[in-house]
Every structure is written in structure tokens, then in C-alpha cells.
Amino acid sequence: MQILGETIIGQRAVRGQGGEVFALAAATGEELSPAFGASTPDDVNTACELAEASFDPYRQLSDEQRAAFLEAIAQGLLDLGDTLTERVHVESGLPKPRLEGERMRTVNQLKLFASLLRDGRWHGAVVDTALPDRQPLPRADLRLRRIGLGPVAVFGASNFPLAFSVAGGDTASALAAGCPVIVKAHPAHLGTSELVARVIQKAARDTGMPEGVFSMLIDKDISVGQALVSHPLISAVGFTGSRRGGLALVAAAQARPVPIPVYAEMSSINPVFLLPAALSARGESIAKGFVESLVLGAGQFCTNPGILLALESDALETFVSAAATALADKSPTTMLTPNIHGAYCNGLNNLHKASGVTLVAEGREAEGSFQARPAFFRTDSATFLANPGLEDENFGPSALLIVCKDTADLQKVAAKFDGQLTVTLHFDDGDQAIAQALMPTLERKAGRILFNDFPTGVEVSYSMVHGGPFPATSDSRSTSVGATAIDRFLRPVCYQSVPDSLLPPALQHSNPLKTWRLVNGQLVKD
Ligand code: NAP
């Protein structure tokens, strides 16, 4: 499969007429061939009209047909073999083994949603049968199920060129929900985006999907993204990126005559609490684990451990010196884009200059142009509480340790944190009381609470939550990873006294799908 610099609009490959754009080699910043044609407002409109025309036919296909479509995409990603990893590697700078892992995660996400469709519980079918003799008033036959919201705009993420981009989690969950998808490719990996978009286009053709079920557009600036979110035929948005970008999309969605939900995953510093008994028992091994987590993928994970908290003690100093030793040995790694590298360097400069903040250790000096040098800083709770800027995400392998005087101080800092994707506690038996006191605060702050682990590494499963209060996301009621990500693109519809012949199969009296349903309050399959 070749990269031709084209966008995908339904079953057509279109050379955008909105000007030339190039993907850049992450390691050198050089333009990569071929040139891509950016999409135009007409392309946005065509893709949206096709998506709208395909919405009813697509959502009314059987669960089995939509599952087969998702599985065909998964197989297509595998069939791309090295063609895919070679291109992603050049565009993102991410090492090939990581990209192979990310490809398998993407494949498994698609398969998870295929199995969710076959299982049928995603319909959320609820039946309250009629009570004609109820006094003082009879009850009508009431049946509820969930349907897709409509066409969804998905913004590819820079830091997961496969798992959170064209065929990533947002796309897979929206397609599973019965929603056509229009992806706005991330400019950092245009070639990867075209390869994957062609896989989805072919899978749609091979499995007989309606034409407009999928399109992929390219932007020269922010106009295509803005036009998509503002288009009256778009019903929801999935986004992973900066706080500024996410908030701009939320504002655009709110300014429409008909506002729509934006599920934006934005910024998180993922606090890690090093509780005293755990530090005393195994401070050095926690330090090694922390440094591995910090530098993974050049720190370009939404779940990167950017903040550590601990009480002042000798055990903490042992931890700090072990972390410094481990970090000093770490090589710099290429970042995803020159812009992201520039933002990271600015963030480091700010930390170097910040009063009351000291550098604990750095990794080896950068050799290449766009490499991130890992860094570890420390401060005290009073400085942190007095300087709100210290809570800003510095996207990359940088972390700040906040040293607290006592447990009350630790609680105070915890209560001050913004919303997070994760919080982590390193805990031992002697830490029961302090952990118990922290838990109610931490539940309010984060989407996922981890014990004795590190937050990088997100399982794609039924119970995963990759979300959290603002600014981790724009809507804390949902997750963008895991099976329940489908809920973001569904809404409930209640059918009152509708004849059986007009009910959707999930709600018909004979339960032809043999799916689990809540019937008069009891979960049953028949
Ligand atoms: P970004 O600048 O937010 O861009 C993400 C996507 O949104 C791009 O496709 C971008 O399009 C589009 N976009 C941004 N602002 C927009 C606007 N006002 N209107 C319409 N579309 C808009 O994020 P990024 O390029 O991935 O990385 C930049 C920074 O984001 C990083 O340095 C990091 O701080 C943060 N980031 C955080 C996470 C996380 O998970 N916490 C992940 C990735 C990035 P164009 O590029 O074409 O303008």
C-alpha cells in the first residue's frame, strides 16, 4: 500500500485542494514526501453529508455486521506489516518495538468493541411490561435501548499515532456505537494516517458498509478542525491533545446553534504519593520503577508521573539519591514533533528559573535536535501551594517532587490538585491510616487510583477508566479507554406502547437477539 498524499472521503481517495502540507521526520524536522493536499470546506461538507446519509443504514445493521467491520479493520492493520511501523517510526520517532505494541493494542481495542457488539449488553435494553390493571392508573408498556448520537468527529492524537488516532479508541468506540466517523488527521503523522484510513476504507468496502461510514481529512491550520466541530451534521467530538486545543473545541461546540458534547482528554500530571512506610521498606526499588515510568516514550504519555509527594525523612533522601542515580544514566530520546520538543524545553526553563525549585538530576545531554533530556526537580509544599504554575503539565520526561512537612501538609497539597487521569500511592502496612485519610480526596480528583504501581500503561478492559475531572478531561463522566468508552456516543430512547413489529430487535417481546435485558427490574436473557 502506497502513501499518495490523499485524504479519504467515503469510498473516494481525494487530493485536497486546500494547499500543500508535509509530515516531518521527528528526528530531523525534515519534510517527508509525498506532499499532502489539505482538505477544503467543501471536503468537510461532503464528508459530513456522506456520514449523515450513512448514519441510519449503518446503525441499523446487525451487531454481527458491525463487529465484522471492526475485525476487518483490525486484520488490515496487521496485514500492513512493516509498511506501517516504518512510516510511524519516521514520523513519530517512537521506537519500533513500542509501535508494534501499540499496533496490537489498537487491534485488541477493535476486537474488544467487536465482542461487545456480539454480546449485546451495549444496547442497555430495559423492559417494563404493561400493568393494565394497576390502580389508580395503569402503566403502559415501556422499553428503553441506546442508539448512536450521529456522525462523530475524531481528532487524531500526536502521542498515540495508532491507538489514539485514525483507527484508535475514539474511532473504534464511535463505530461500535453505530456512529459514522470523520477523522481529522494529526499533522505529525499524515502518512501513517493515510495508510490506516485506507485500511478502514477497504474494510468498509469488503464488509458492505454504507459509503459515508468513514472519512479522513487533513488540515493546513485549524480551519478544517473548526469547520468539522461547527458543522451542523456532526453530533459529538473525540479529542486527545493540549488543554488549549481541547478548550477551543469545547468553545466551538458550545457556540453552535445546537451544542454537542466534546470528549476532550487534555492535561494531567498524575501525582504519585510515596507514603512513609513504603519508602522505608523499598525506597530504592520504587525509585528505579519511577524513573522507568518517567522516561517511557520520552515521557509523552498522558499518564506520565509528573508530580511526586512525600513527607520529609531520611528514607525520602535515600529515594531521591537512588532516583538521581537511575536518571543520570538515561539517554535523551526524540520527541514527537519540533513543537512538542519546544514546549518541553520551555517547561524545563521555567522549572530551572522557578524560585524555591531545585534540580535533583538530569539524564544524559541531548545529542539530536529534538531530543528530550529527562529531568527531576524538587520543591517544598509551601512553594508549590504559592505557585499555581508549578501544577502545569510539562509534556515530556520531567517530574517535580513536593516535600511535605507532615500528613496535614500532604492532605493540603492533595486537596489543591486539579483533576487528574490517575493518582498513585506507594503503600505498605504502616501507611493504612494516612492512605485511608487521603482516599476520599483522591476519589474526587482522579479517574483511576493505583496502589504500588506506576500510572503509565493503561489496560484496555471492561473496568478501565481513562478520564477524570477537568482539566484531565472536559467531561469527567466518561472514559476514552476501555469498553465503557462506547457510552460517550450513545443516548437512551424509550419506546412507549410501540407495536412489537416496530420495535428494534433488542426490545422485541421474544428477545430475538437473546441479549441480557433488565425486565421488570430483573436481569434476564430470555
Ligand atoms: P494540540 O495542539 O492540542 O493538537 C491536537 C489536534 O487538535 C491537532 O490535530 C490540532 O490541529 C487540533 N487543534 C488544536 N487546536 C485547535 C483549534 N483551536 N481548533 C481546531 N483544531 C485544533 O496537541 P498536540 O499537537 O498533540 O501537542 C501539543 C501539546 O499538547 C503537547 O506539548 C502537550 O502539552 C499536549 N498534549 C497532551 C497530551 C495528553 O494526553 N495529556 C497528549 C498530546 C499532547 P493542528 O495541529 O492541525 O492545528
Side-chain angles (χ1 to χ4, degrees):
M1 191 181 280
Q2 272 193 309
I3 301 169
L4 300 174
E6 293 175 332
T7 60
I8 299 298
I9 302 184
Q11 282 303 322
R12 289 185 304 133
V14 175
R15 173 96 204 161
Q17 299 300 309
E20 276 196 346
V21 275
F22 288 87
L24 304 180
T28 61
E30 284 166 343
E31 288 183 349
L32 295 167
S33 64
F36 286 78
S39 305
T40 62
D42 278 352
D43 293 335
V44 173
N45 200 42
T46 307
C48 289
E49 284 180 349
L50 269 179
E52 171 60 24
S54 74
F55 177 43
D56 278 336
Y58 178 62
R59 71 185 180 85
Q60 288 174 50
L61 291 173
S62 69
D63 291 340
E64 177 55 42
Q65 285 169 297
R66 290 215 305 285
F69 173 39
L70 296 181
E71 285 171 343
I73 300 171
Q75 188 56 47
L77 292 177
L78 293 173
D79 293 345
L80 273 180
D82 291 344
T83 308
L84 183 61
T85 29
E86 297 285 348
R87 179 73 188 199
V88 201
H89 171 63
V90 175
E91 289 186 332
S92 68
L94 295 170
K96 288 184 190 168
R98 140 80 197 260
L99 292 171
E100 279 306 342
E102 192 180 327
R103 184 206 314 246
M104 285 318 297
R105 173 174 163 179
T106 313
V107 163
N108 289 335
Q109 277 174 173
L110 289 156
K111 289 184 174 172
L112 175 75
F113 285 109
S115 68
L116 199 69
L117 288 178
R118 290 202 176 94
D119 168 90
R121 267 177 289 186
W122 74 273
H123 290 284
V126 181
V127 176
D128 295 326
T129 49
L131 298 173
D133 300 326
R134 192 180 67 173
Q135 294 300 326
L137 288 171
R139 180 175 83 185
D141 182 90
L142 296 165
R143 289 162 192 259
L144 176 156
R145 68 144 178 177
R146 303 188 299 169
I147 67 166
L149 291 178
V152 172
V154 169
F155 285 73
S158 59
N159 58 338
F160 279 92
L162 300 176
F164 265 84
S165 286
V166 179
D170 287 339
T171 299
S173 51
L175 288 176
C179 302
V181 167
I182 303 174
V183 170
K184 207 291 273 176
H186 195 284
H189 42 75
L190 295 175
T192 304
S193 297
E194 182 181 329
L195 287 171
V196 175
R198 285 182 186 278
V199 162
I200 302 179
Q201 186 188 48
K202 179 174 182 305
R205 189 167 59 242
D206 291 350
T207 56
M209 296 296 120
E211 166 160 23
V213 71
F214 175 79
S215 293
M216 189 275 292
L217 304 175
I218 289 173
D219 211 347
K220 198 171 164 59
D221 40 43
I222 57 166
S223 56
V224 167
Q226 285 281 331
L228 253 184
V229 175
S230 306
H231 198 286
L233 296 177
I234 291 295
S235 299
V237 179
F239 169 94
T240 297
S242 65
R243 189 191 302 203
R244 195 172 61 176
L247 287 179
L249 299 187
V250 170
Q254 291 296 321
R256 294 163 44 118
V258 179
I260 54 172
V262 175
Y263 298 103
E265 192 221 301
M266 298 173 291
S267 76
S268 180
I269 50 171
N270 306 298
V272 176
F273 291 78
L274 307 168
L275 301 186
L279 266 190
S280 295
R282 49 179 194 282
E284 290 187 31
S285 89
I286 297 173
K288 285 183 191 145
F290 154 64
V291 169
E292 291 308 317
S293 179
L294 177 70
V295 302
L296 197 68
Q300 301 163 120
F301 280 97
C302 350
T303 51
N304 192 55
I307 288 277
L308 303 179
L309 296 100
L311 302 184
E312 54 193 11
S313 69
D314 291 345
L316 175 60
E317 296 314 315
T318 307
F319 166 88
V320 167
S321 100
T325 306
L327 195 71
D329 205 29
K330 290 295 172 194
S331 302
T333 26
T334 299
M335 297 199 84
L336 292 159
T337 69
N339 284 345
I340 288 177
H341 175 259
Y344 176 67
C345 294
N346 281 342
L348 283 188
N349 281 341
N350 291 340
L351 285 166
H352 280 293
K353 282 189 299 192
S355 147
V357 175
T358 53
L359 179 70
V360 174
E362 286 179 297
R364 296 213 189 113
E365 208 163 327
E367 288 162 6
S369 312
F370 303 114
Q371 291 184 335
R373 185 179 191 181
F376 181 30
F377 298 85
R378 72 186 284 170
T379 189
D380 55 67
S381 53
T383 305
F384 182 78
L385 290 169
N387 293 281
L390 292 177
E391 208 182 333
D392 291 347
E393 178 186 43
N394 187 21
F395 194 64
S398 148
L400 175 65
L401 167 69
I402 305 168
V403 182
C404 300
K405 288 194 293 291
D406 51 32
T407 52
D409 202 22
L410 195 70
Q411 279 280 7
K412 206 164 148 191
V413 178
K416 158 82 177 34
F417 282 133
D418 284 339
Q420 306 291 338
L421 293 172
T422 69
V423 291
T424 301
L425 291 91
H426 283 273
F427 165 90
D428 216 301
D429 288 347
D431 296 318
Q432 179 69 26
I434 182 167
Q436 199 149 15
L438 277 169
M439 284 298 274
T441 305
L442 302 187
E443 284 170 343
R444 292 181 58 178
K445 296 287 173 187
R448 180 163 60 113
I449 301 171
L450 300 84
F451 269 60
N452 295 336
D453 205 337
F454 290 94
T456 40
V458 182
E459 189 69 36
V460 180
S461 67
Y462 290 90
S463 57
M464 179 47 64
V465 174
H466 190 66
F470 181 86
T473 75
S474 56
D475 188 333
S476 64
R477 293 166 296 178
S478 60
T479 173
S480 58
V481 177
T484 49
I486 193 173
D487 296 348
R488 298 173 300 166
F489 303 118
L490 293 168
R491 69 178 180 86
V493 178
C494 178
Y495 301 75
Q496 184 164 339
S497 306
V498 175
D500 203 44
S501 59
L502 292 174
L503 282 171
L507 296 184
Q508 286 170 5
H509 291 250
S510 64
N511 191 9
L513 301 183
K514 297 291 167 234
T515 186
W516 286 101
R517 310 195 294 188
L518 196 65
V519 178
N520 296 324
Q522 301 294 316
L523 200 56
V524 291
K525 218 172 179 179
D526 297 316

